[in-house]
Amino acid sequence: MRYIGECAIIFGITLVGELLNAVLPFPVPAGVYGLFLLLFLLCKGIVKLEDVEATGNFFLDIMPIMFIPATVGLIEQFGLIKEILVPIVVISLLSTLAVMAVTGKTAELMMGKGKGKEGDRQ
Amino acid sequence: MTFVQESMYLGFIFTILAYLFGVWLKKKVGWAVLNPLLVAAVVVIGGLLLTGIDYETYNQSAQHISYLLTPATVCLAIPLYKQLHLLQKNFVAVIVAILSGVATSVLCIFAMCLLFQMDHISYVSMLPKSITTAIAMGVSQEAGGVVTLTVVCIMITGIFGNMIGETALRWFRIKEPMAKGLALGTSAHAIGTTKALELGEVEGAMSSLSIAVAGLLTVIAVPVVSGWI
């Protein structure tokens, strides 16, 4: 029974996210609306952590395999990118590394100097 | 052959087994390059090419896995909720870090597209490549890009971020769990976030938050820079 209730909450919120995505004019996907909605409901105590945790953790645990079909789908696009494959790969890889370095370093710098230092660890 | 064409579960189970094989191989050999996600995709592609099954047939079964991606994204609120106190304490640092990452992303792509003499369409298609697919597709379309090209770059970015993330964070000497999560989520969206969730709950929470914030900031940033090439 536990999982049925949890699924009802999670898929219900997903549905509301889908609805918001369809109705509101912002380029926000259903999942992101749903993320903030669930966060809000948890913060307000309307949904308790134990009401969604078991199913939620299951979904998070299997999340990596959800990207495999789309990755496999890249073979379909090979014709499109063949000619610009090298620059695309180089640009993607280098910019990913740059973003990682700048974001991480900025965060450490800001937290190191800011008042939030004691909050870095629990 | 009809069974293979019509089976509802073949593509599904093949995908799961390919991933388990990737996990096993990574454990056995230990190279960072052998990312389970990448290995699984290569194994599935190899399997399709060998058997002559086309992608559409495979996806008819495998799409049920992708179907769960939206509720899974909703569930990213769970680690975020558990670490909310960290966000409240470091709110400014978190926002500035993600903002700097988004700026780095678009400027980097601009500079390198200039270097490689890419045309306007390829340039705008690449701009939203570090954010989650659902937001990026809209951004690309709005800027006049080719959505499929955007999706290709998003997948390359995500897989690479997931693959190299742990090692790269070590290279850059980024040690704070919060900083690691922000770096992974801002650079490699949801696929980077699956790596962050593996690293720890704080990393996972910050990476989840980055998906949303970096996505929204990119929506604002792309129209500003899209006319530059």
Side-chain angles (χ1 to χ4, degrees):
Chain A
M1 258 311 281
R2 168 171 197 190
Y3 295 102
I4 302 177
E6 293 200 5
C7 281
I9 295 173
I10 292 169
F11 281 97
I13 291 171
T14 308
L15 177 68
V16 176
E18 201 180 22
L19 181 74
L20 290 174
N21 172 263
V23 172
L24 298 177
F26 311 110
V28 176
V32 173
Y33 276 127
L35 192 163
F36 284 118
L37 184 59
L38 177 55
L39 187 64
F40 173 79
L41 293 173
L42 285 167
C43 287
K44 288 279 161 211
I46 300 168
V47 170
K48 300 265 187 301
L49 204 52
E50 58 267 29
D51 294 336
V52 286
E53 213 177 7
T55 308
N57 286 336
F58 167 71
F59 280 149
L60 294 180
D61 187 71
I62 65 166
M63 206 169 170
I65 63 165
M66 297 174 193
F67 296 104
I68 297 172
T71 310
V72 173
L74 292 186
I75 50 168
E76 293 282 278
Q77 311 304 336
F78 191 69
L80 173 82
I81 56 168
K82 212 165 36 188
E83 277 157 32
I84 43 171
L85 187 66
V86 174
I88 282 186
V89 170
V90 172
I91 294 171
S92 295
L93 301 196
L94 291 182
S95 63
T96 305
L97 282 178
V99 175
M100 221 179 261
V102 171
T103 312
K105 280 291 171 199
T106 307
E108 285 193 338
L109 214 66
M110 292 281 297
M111 286 188 292
K113 285 181 178 168
K115 59 185 161 91
K117 194 166 186 184
E118 80 280 6
D120 293 347
R121 286 184 199 286
Q122 279 178 286
Chain B
M1 212 52 186
T2 24
F3 175 75
V4 173
Q5 301 283 342
E6 284 168 12
S7 168
M8 288 285 285
Y9 299 100
L10 186 64
F12 197 114
I13 189 69
F14 186 37
T15 305
I16 296 175
L17 290 177
Y19 187 76
L20 287 176
F21 170 73
V23 172
W24 174 81
L25 194 67
K26 168 101 190 259
K27 218 178 247 169
K28 194 99 183 159
V29 185
W31 302 342
V33 199
L34 291 175
N35 176 263
L37 196 57
L38 183 66
V39 169
V42 170
V43 167
V44 174
I45 290 174
L48 295 183
L49 291 176
L50 273 176
T51 55
I53 299 170
D54 59 19
Y55 176 70
E56 220 160 293
T57 308
Y58 159 75
N59 200 37
Q60 227 136 53
S61 167
Q63 65 179 339
H64 301 292
I65 305 177
S66 318
Y67 170 78
L68 293 173
L69 198 52
T70 307
T73 308
V74 173
C75 292
L76 289 171
I78 295 170
L80 186 55
Y81 172 69
K82 287 189 196 161
Q83 305 299 333
L84 206 60
H85 60 286
L86 284 182
L87 173 64
Q88 284 160 343
K89 249 179 207 154
N90 299 288
F91 187 75
V92 177
V94 166
I95 298 300
V96 172
I98 299 175
L99 190 64
S100 70
V102 170
T104 305
S105 178
V106 294
L107 293 178
C108 229
I109 291 163
F110 166 67
M112 282 191 284
C113 280
L114 213 57
L115 197 70
F116 283 104
Q117 298 173 321
M118 307 288 277
D119 57 20
H120 173 75
I121 293 177
S122 307
Y123 168 60
V124 293
S125 304
M126 294 195 79
L127 277 175
K129 68 157 199 64
S130 269
I131 62 172
T132 190
T133 316
I135 303 182
M137 284 167 71
V139 173
S140 173
Q141 208 162 23
E142 199 69 27
V146 181
V147 174
T148 40
L149 181 56
T150 304
V151 175
V152 169
C153 296
I154 292 170
M155 296 313 289
I156 294 174
T157 298
I159 301 277
F160 178 68
N162 184 304
M163 189 171 97
I164 198 78
E166 225 175 326
T167 316
L169 290 171
R170 228 179 358 249
W171 289 343
F172 302 136
R173 298 209 174 84
I174 295 165
K175 296 192 187 89
E176 270 310 320
M178 282 187 74
K180 284 183 181 176
L182 292 167
L184 283 167
T186 308
S187 63
H189 51 90
I191 308 184
T193 301
T194 62
K195 172 56 74 180
L197 286 165
E198 274 172 41
L199 295 181
E201 197 145 68
V202 176
E203 287 90 335
M206 289 304 130
S207 193
S208 308
L209 180 72
S210 307
I211 297 176
V213 178
L216 300 180
L217 289 175
T218 304
V219 171
I220 303 167
V222 167
V224 179
V225 300
S226 63
W228 292 1
I229 288 183

